Amino acid sequence: MYRIARAALAAGLLSALFINPSPAQQTPLKIGVLSDFSSVYSDIGGMGNVEATRMAIEDFGGQMFGKPIDMVSADVLNKPDVASTIARKWWETEGVDMIIDLPTSATALAVMELSKQYEKIMIVTDAASSDITGKSCSPYTAHWTYDTYANAHTVGSAIVKNGGDTWFFLTADYVFGHSVERDTGDVVKAAGGKVLGSVKHPLNTADFSSFLLQAQASKAKIIGLANGGGDTINAIKQAGEFGIVAGGQNLAAIVMFISDVHSLGLKLAQGLIITEAYYWDLNDKTRAFGKRFLERVKRMPTMNQAATYSATLHYLKAVQAAGTRDTKTVMAKMRELPVRDAFTDNGSLREDGRMVHSMYLFQVKKPEESRGPWDYYKLLAEVPADQAFRPLKDGGCPLLK
């Protein structure tokens, strides 16, 4: 009798396990997009990143564990305190499982601290500081698109090799700009060049005149633009008004996007040497994704927007393969699975959180070379992951000690 009762109890418990899924699987998986919708980085990420996330959810099938996948989004106003407040609310009370995007390095680093506190996954697809996977690395953060080290090494080294051996930096005065100046300056000096100086400017400034005059007075062959988005566009436009390039100095846009070239036009942007992680016209996969994105957003995707699609899709694949949304299990699966999609054919996620992949060196076409809208780049070189990104041993990531 006792054996029968015990067997019945065991059967009942087993049945309950199948009838009642774990609490983690009873609620929909939820992804939060923290972006810049109103300021200097809205074109390179912004609503395009929201749409890219939506496309990845749709391509995955729209469901996880039998429930529709949810998405929320918010504008961080490029302020770390705002980003932290939203992230805390999402993780603490709104059931968000993963946060993606983060438009600036300062907002990314702030939310990374909360990610560690709540043991939740975040994927950085916009912010660029190499510190994200260096001294500030986290077991719960992946850095997807590019970083200041990779861009500095692909663009900086190419320019120095071609005679641009004296530099002066025009630097956005926050973590990202400082990282660009530091990493590019290291490349210039390692290649035998000299850094003659730098000047810091506020984020999203409208007037670059005083900063450009200092750069012009330095007589440096190369004025390195250690900024991004609208700041890069405005600096290049105003440099043209000051006749800086006509006077013999050249501009180096360390971090530049196809949306920037589109805003500038080929007449102003022609000849610029830039690096990107993605370009819509590289291959059949990139062209197919670019065409779909263009139909929905009415502009070609930036590398950040293509990377946001890639990172979201990879995360969803990892959750599915793991059979759980448990953070540590999913992160392990994200590192185990290769990254193969419209963004890259050769990606992998390292222990320090860096997703490594090929980077590309481009030159902006002359107006007469372009076949039409968004046909802006000539491919100069594909830089393999092990040459583009900082070696794992050199980053100073505490997780590896």
Side-chain angles (χ1 to χ4, degrees):
M1 186 74 177
Y2 172 72
R3 287 179 181 174
I4 294 172
R6 187 170 61 179
L9 177 63
L13 289 171
L14 188 62
S15 175
L17 285 174
F18 284 97
I19 294 171
N20 300 313
S22 67
Q25 294 187 8
Q26 290 178 359
T27 57
L29 189 79
K30 187 180 286 189
I31 295 171
V33 184
L34 274 181
S35 196
D36 173 2
F37 297 139
S38 55
S39 188
V40 66
Y41 299 128
S42 57
D43 274 356
I44 65 177
M47 292 308 299
N49 277 353
V50 173
E51 193 60 36
T53 303
R54 186 177 288 113
M55 290 172 70
I57 292 171
E58 290 173 6
D59 288 354
F60 181 76
Q63 293 191 342
M64 183 71 72
F65 307 137
K67 301 279 187 181
I69 299 166
D70 287 346
M71 179 183 66
V72 292
S73 62
D75 190 341
V76 302
L77 306 177
N78 294 336
K79 296 179 179 179
D81 58 333
V82 173
S84 296
T85 298
I86 297 169
R88 185 184 298 278
K89 181 183 176 186
W90 280 358
W91 279 328
E92 203 168 77
T93 65
E94 296 192 12
V96 169
D97 294 281
M98 183 270 280
I99 290 176
I100 195 166
D101 188 344
L102 284 305
T104 69
S105 299
T107 56
L109 292 167
V111 177
M112 282 174 70
E113 290 305 307
L114 286 175
S115 168
K116 287 187 279 189
Q117 178 184 330
Y118 289 99
E119 296 189 356
K120 292 287 190 177
I121 293 172
M122 61 176 282
I123 307 177
V124 180
T125 56
D126 269 32
S129 174
S130 57
D131 290 345
I132 291 168
T133 54
K135 64 182 183 180
S136 299
C137 70
S138 162
Y140 310 121
T141 298
H143 198 184
W144 217 256
T145 316
Y146 66 110
D147 61 32
T148 52
Y149 180 99
N151 282 41
H153 278 70
T154 49
V155 175
S157 59
I159 291 173
V160 175
K161 285 175 184 175
N162 283 285
D165 55 3
T166 57
W167 288 60
F168 185 95
F169 288 98
L170 206 64
T171 303
D173 194 11
Y174 75 108
V175 176
F176 160 69
H178 300 168
S179 297
V180 172
E181 180 183 331
R182 178 195 66 205
D183 290 345
T184 310
D186 288 346
V187 170
V188 170
K189 287 178 276 191
K194 293 181 180 180
V195 176
L196 303 183
S198 69
V199 61
K200 306 293 192 292
H201 70 79
L203 178 66
N204 204 17
T205 185
D207 185 4
F208 281 88
S209 56
S210 65
F211 311 117
L212 287 167
L213 287 172
Q214 291 180 63
Q216 194 173 37
S218 74
K219 305 297 184 185
K221 294 179 183 177
I222 305 295
I223 299 173
L225 303 178
N227 50 27
D231 284 337
T232 301
I233 293 169
N234 286 334
I236 292 173
K237 285 181 177 177
Q238 291 175 38
E241 295 168 6
F242 277 87
I244 285 178
V245 174
Q249 292 174 292
N250 287 300
L251 304 175
I254 313 301
V255 179
M256 196 167 184
F257 303 84
I258 194 169
S259 55
D260 301 333
V261 175
H262 188 72
S263 295
L264 284 166
L266 293 182
K267 186 176 179 181
L268 271 178
Q270 63 181 310
L272 281 172
I273 304 295
I274 63 175
T275 186
E276 295 238 36
Y278 166 93
Y279 175 47
W280 70 270
D281 201 18
L282 275 174
N283 55 52
D284 289 343
K285 279 187 178 181
T286 58
R287 281 187 285 272
F289 178 76
K291 182 180 178 181
R292 288 176 58 209
F293 190 91
L294 179 66
E295 288 171 352
R296 297 168 75 132
V297 183
K298 310 308 176 190
R299 54 195 296 136
M300 282 295 180
T302 64
M303 62 173 166
N304 292 3
Q305 290 158 349
T308 299
Y309 169 86
S310 167
T312 302
L313 189 60
H314 190 73
Y315 167 74
L316 294 174
K317 289 176 180 177
V319 174
Q320 183 182 58
T324 177
R325 63 181 74 185
D326 173 72
T327 294
K328 292 178 182 178
T329 308
V330 173
M331 284 299 297
K333 189 60 69 172
M334 287 177 68
R335 291 188 174 94
E336 177 187 321
L337 296 174
V339 184
R340 305 285 186 271
D341 50 44
F343 175 71
T344 182
D345 280 325
N346 54 28
S348 61
L349 184 61
R350 298 192 315 200
E351 296 170 67
D352 61 351
R354 178 68 258 171
M355 200 281 278
V356 296
H357 49 81
S358 291
M359 294 290 289
Y360 301 92
L361 193 68
F362 297 106
Q363 185 170 34
V364 178
K365 289 182 175 182
K366 298 175 182 177
E368 61 269 25
E369 294 173 323
S370 175
R371 296 165 296 174
W374 302 102
D375 178 30
Y376 295 154
Y377 294 162
K378 291 186 289 188
L379 178 64
L380 299 181
E382 178 177 349
V383 184
D386 60 350
Q387 294 178 31
F389 289 95
R390 181 177 55 205
L392 191 62
K393 64 181 178 61
D394 295 340
C397 173
L399 298 177
L400 307 180
K401 292 181 181 177

